[in-house]
Amino acid sequence: MAVAAGYPIESVDTAIRILLMLKDEPELRIAAVARELGVARSTAHRMLTTLQARDMLRQDPATKAFGAGPALVELGIAVMGAADLKAAARPILEQLAERTGETVHLVTLEGTELVFVDGVEGKQVIRAGLRTGHRTPAHTTGAGKALLAVLDSTELRRRYPTARLTGGTDDAVHTRRALETDLDEVRTRGYGINHAESESGLTALGAVIHDTRGGVRGALSLSGPSFRIPAAKIDELATELRWAVEELATRLG
């Protein structure tokens, strides 16, 4: 049970209230924050940009909305046990990279973005690079689609309230309807595929990590240059990816 502070510091309390708004709204807009806090828009803007300066929030350059920043994501990962997930996943990442020769990542879903938590680079001369610490639109990635496919239709539409989607290459899906169709295929197949949707010339697969109780803990991604991952090789790599997520599920218990 929350206990009121005997001598609350208003600025700290205000910052916490703003961050707690992210529980219900993955994107915060200045007007909404101003209404919630009962302050002027200019004051709300200063509060948001102060949190942004500390990487607790980040602003989407296109929509101007504020979402969880890298420091807040890292804090959440540590508190919720993803630090343990990272430790458990590390040897699996190393083995998967060794078995396939391709770059692999441990990822989590934050709103509509994929967060790259850890990774091991493949040993091929031409390979996908490490993206640890980066974020990218989930609907443009194989692992992102795998994680989105776990969500029910209500939650999916809450995260994607508009019909149009942005981000990725021309090969990415750009409507919510197309994404929903793609996710139906992911559920049938058991893993997500990114055919040059996040970057031209890149192919990637992603599968969800479940613990033994069925909870979703994140996903593993395997990626490499498209010329080395033709359609005929995808089943082979998907088998390796399934081995990896099942082995990790056993370790997580």
Side-chain angles (χ1 to χ4, degrees):
M1 182 176 68
V3 178
Y7 300 95
I9 299 174
E10 185 176 357
S11 60
V12 175
D13 182 64
T14 299
I16 293 171
R17 288 176 64 190
I18 291 173
L19 296 178
L20 288 175
M21 288 176 69
L22 291 169
K23 290 195 303 181
D24 300 315
E25 296 293 337
E27 293 187 337
L28 303 179
R29 298 186 179 276
I30 295 172
V33 172
R35 281 196 306 272
E36 177 70 18
L37 299 180
V39 298
R41 287 171 61 103
S42 59
T43 302
H45 181 262
R46 288 197 301 273
M47 294 172 178
L48 290 166
T49 54
T50 298
L51 289 168
Q52 181 186 18
R54 290 293 185 180
D55 285 337
M56 298 299 284
L57 295 178
R58 62 185 293 274
Q59 187 177 34
D60 187 309
T63 67
K64 305 303 181 184
F66 291 83
L72 184 59
V73 172
E74 289 171 9
L75 177 62
I77 286 171
V79 171
M80 294 306 294
D84 292 337
L85 171 62
K86 183 176 176 180
R90 185 68 189 186
I92 301 297
L93 292 173
E94 292 172 350
Q95 290 177 61
L96 185 58
E98 181 67 29
R99 289 167 67 139
T100 64
E102 304 296 353
T103 297
V104 296
H105 284 97
L106 169 67
V107 300
T108 59
L109 183 64
E110 177 70 31
T112 60
E113 291 186 316
L114 199 69
V115 182
F116 292 81
V117 178
D118 196 11
V120 175
E121 202 167 56
K123 294 183 178 179
Q124 304 278 3
V125 174
I126 300 175
R127 59 185 180 269
L130 280 183
R131 303 207 63 199
T132 304
H134 287 71
R135 303 162 71 101
T136 197
H139 72 278
T140 69
T141 70
K145 291 180 198 176
L147 288 165
L148 291 172
V150 176
L151 305 177
D152 61 31
S153 57
T154 300
E155 177 60 19
L156 186 70
R157 292 199 169 215
R158 187 186 74 82
R159 298 191 188 206
Y160 294 96
T162 61
R164 296 291 302 174
L165 308 182
T166 59
T169 68
D170 290 342
D171 292 320
V173 295
H174 290 105
T175 67
R176 189 177 58 203
R177 178 172 293 184
L179 175 61
E180 289 170 340
T181 299
D182 208 348
L183 296 184
D184 284 339
E185 296 176 0
V186 172
R187 295 182 189 103
T188 300
R189 191 190 307 119
Y191 57 91
I193 303 178
N194 162 14
H195 286 299
E197 295 163 62
S198 60
E199 296 181 35
S200 296
L202 179 79
T203 295
L205 312 179
V208 172
I209 304 162
H210 294 277
D211 57 31
T212 54
R213 296 176 297 279
V216 175
R217 300 294 300 274
L220 293 183
S221 169
L222 184 155
S223 57
S226 298
F227 71 82
R228 201 164 54 239
I229 308 180
K233 193 175 181 181
I234 285 182
D235 283 347
E236 175 189 334
L237 293 176
T239 298
E240 294 288 351
L241 189 61
R242 278 193 289 265
W243 164 82
V245 294
E246 289 169 5
E247 179 67 21
L248 184 50
T250 300
R251 295 189 180 208
L252 291 171

